[in-house]
Every structure is written in C-alpha cells, then in structure tokens.
Amino acid sequence: MRSNIYNYIQNNGFEAFCPKAVLFDMDGVLYNSMPNHAVAWEESMKKFGINMTASDAYATEGARGIDTIRHFVKKQKGIDISLEEAQKMYDEKTRIFHTMPEAPIFDGVLDIMEKIHQAGMSVNVVTGSGQRPLITRLLNDFGKYLDENHITTAYDVKRGKPNPDPYLVGLQKAGNLHPWEGIVVENAPLGVRAGVAAKIFTVAINSGPLPDDALSSLGANILYHHMTDFVKDWDLLIK
C-alpha cells in the first residue's frame, strides 16, 4: 500500500497524500445495479433502432446518459441529435430501469463509510446519473454519512466522465479540496480515467465482468475485486 501511495505522489509531482474526502461512483460501486442498467439500456435503445449490448453498457458506464446516447446514434445512424432528443431517449431508459427490482447495496459499503466517518473525512458521491429517485435513495440509504451538497450528478457538469470535470466538481463540493486530498472509488473504465485525469488517488473495485487490466491499465492506483477487501486495507491507506 505504501508503494502505491509513493508512486501516486511521484507520478503527479505532489509533496504528500493527505486524504480528507472519499468520492464514490454510484452504480457498480455502492449498488450492484449494473446488470439492471445493462438490460434497461438494451431494451430502451432497441425502441429507437439503436443496438446497445450489455458489453456496451459496461464499457460506457459512468458517462452522462445523454452523451452515451448521442455517441451511439452518431455511430450507428450517422446523425447528430440534440440534447433534447437524447434526453427523451434517456427518459425511456430511466423508465425501464425503475420497473426493475431494486439493486442491493454491496457488502462492505456501509462499513467503509463508517470508517471514513470515524476518520473525520467526508463521504461524497460522483455519478453520471441525474435521476431524482436515485439521488433520493442515496440519501435514504446513506443519510448518516452523506448529504445532497456532497453529491455531484450529470447536471453539475457539461463534460462527463472520462473528463476530470465530475471529480473536480466533487472536490469543490467536498470543501474546495486539492487532488491530493481526495480518494476516488470507481468500477468503470471511464470513471477510472476521470479520477486519474483529475490527479486523485483512484481505487478501482472490479465488481463486473471486465478484466482487471481494463482498469489497472488506465492508471488505477490500486485494485480490489470486492469492497470488503478495501475495508480491510483502509487503515493502511490513511495511516
């Protein structure tokens, strides 16, 4: 663990690593929701003549939904659609998603949040979603540790992941922090790229079907397969 931190400091030209906030992605990190999202993407896009597979859903996870839609429409139909058109398509994806069973919280999530809280650090969420029901659920499930002022959504940025913007905004909401004062927890390639681009220490939780190098090759500072493994190492990270 100390070597991971040392390499992070050296690679970014920082003098120290002094974490004050943890910035979690939501889907695939806090909730085991990606299987539901994959089905919702596939079914909704089919209605608009767009072929989107489960693999596509995992590969584009973390991006703003409207950006994902515009990308696939451009790629498959060769046309640029407006934000309003993309939003209508995303609304259908959202509708289908919310007809599905509620995704469970991953084991270890509440434990890691308690450790963060006990360390005097803040819990934050940075998500490519902007769906109000999901934000409400975050507050209901994690209200002991999280408030709405520490949630960054698709509507807080013009450029979503893999750009650094969402995590830079997350740092601002966490108290105008510097990159070396944060920790990003991600499960998706686009999210890892965003955390690394923001120069924040990035923990990858490979909770899905992707090979480990799909995350580690993008610059993740450390990788786990389960949140419970991160819980076990937490004291080493902030020692």
Side-chain angles (χ1 to χ4, degrees):
M1 179 66 72
R2 302 317 297 176
S3 63
N4 300 84
I5 295 172
Y6 176 80
N7 290 337
Y8 163 75
I9 293 172
Q10 292 298 308
N11 290 340
N12 288 286
F14 297 148
E15 294 184 0
F17 172 58
C18 307
K20 297 179 181 178
V22 179
L23 300 93
F24 292 97
D25 177 41
M26 181 174 64
D27 294 304
V29 173
L30 301 180
Y31 300 113
N32 189 11
S33 50
M34 276 309 298
N36 288 357
H37 278 291
V39 171
W41 273 119
E42 197 168 356
E43 291 186 1
S44 62
M45 291 304 102
K46 190 183 301 181
K47 294 184 177 184
F48 298 97
I50 299 297
N51 178 44
M52 189 168 178
T53 66
S55 296
D56 291 330
Y58 279 96
T60 57
E61 181 193 352
R64 298 191 309 170
I66 55 175
D67 292 336
T68 297
I69 289 168
R70 295 180 84 191
H71 167 77
F72 276 94
V73 171
K74 178 70 172 180
K75 182 178 179 180
Q76 295 183 22
K77 294 190 174 183
I79 59 175
D80 294 306
I81 61 173
S82 68
L83 290 174
E84 291 74 20
E85 291 173 300
Q87 184 64 55
K88 289 180 181 179
M89 295 170 70
Y90 186 57
D91 289 344
E92 176 60 13
K93 183 264 176 179
T94 299
R95 185 194 67 77
I96 293 174
F97 177 79
H98 286 295
T99 66
M100 305 177 75
E102 189 171 74
I105 300 171
F106 275 114
D107 290 342
V109 167
L110 290 170
D111 294 329
I112 198 69
M113 287 189 178
E114 179 63 25
K115 284 183 173 289
I116 295 165
H117 179 68
Q118 291 295 327
M121 300 165 60
S122 68
V123 171
N124 305 261
V125 172
V126 178
T127 174
S129 175
Q131 302 170 35
R132 189 65 217 177
L134 295 180
I135 306 307
T136 300
R137 188 184 176 193
L138 282 172
L139 298 173
N140 288 338
D141 289 343
F142 309 118
K144 178 180 177 182
Y145 311 106
L146 178 69
D147 62 58
E148 191 155 0
N149 292 328
H150 289 79
I151 300 175
T152 301
T153 75
Y155 299 117
D156 290 310
V157 295
K158 291 183 178 179
R159 301 191 310 166
K161 303 171 187 177
N163 296 291
D165 308 34
Y167 281 113
L168 294 176
V169 171
L171 287 176
Q172 292 175 7
K173 291 193 174 192
N176 294 316
L177 302 181
H178 299 289
W180 61 86
E181 295 177 309
I183 298 170
V184 162
V185 186
E186 267 285 355
N187 72 304
L190 296 183
V192 168
R193 287 173 57 190
V196 172
K199 298 187 175 182
I200 305 171
F201 189 94
T202 300
V203 176
I205 308 289
N206 193 5
S207 62
L210 298 174
D212 287 349
D213 64 4
L215 302 175
S216 57
S217 66
L218 297 176
N221 299 103
I222 193 165
L223 183 144
Y224 299 103
H225 292 111
H226 305 283
M227 185 68 76
T228 51
D229 298 325
F230 184 31
V231 174
K232 293 174 184 176
D233 273 3
W234 173 257
D235 291 338
L236 297 175
L237 183 61
I238 64 166
K239 190 173 181 180

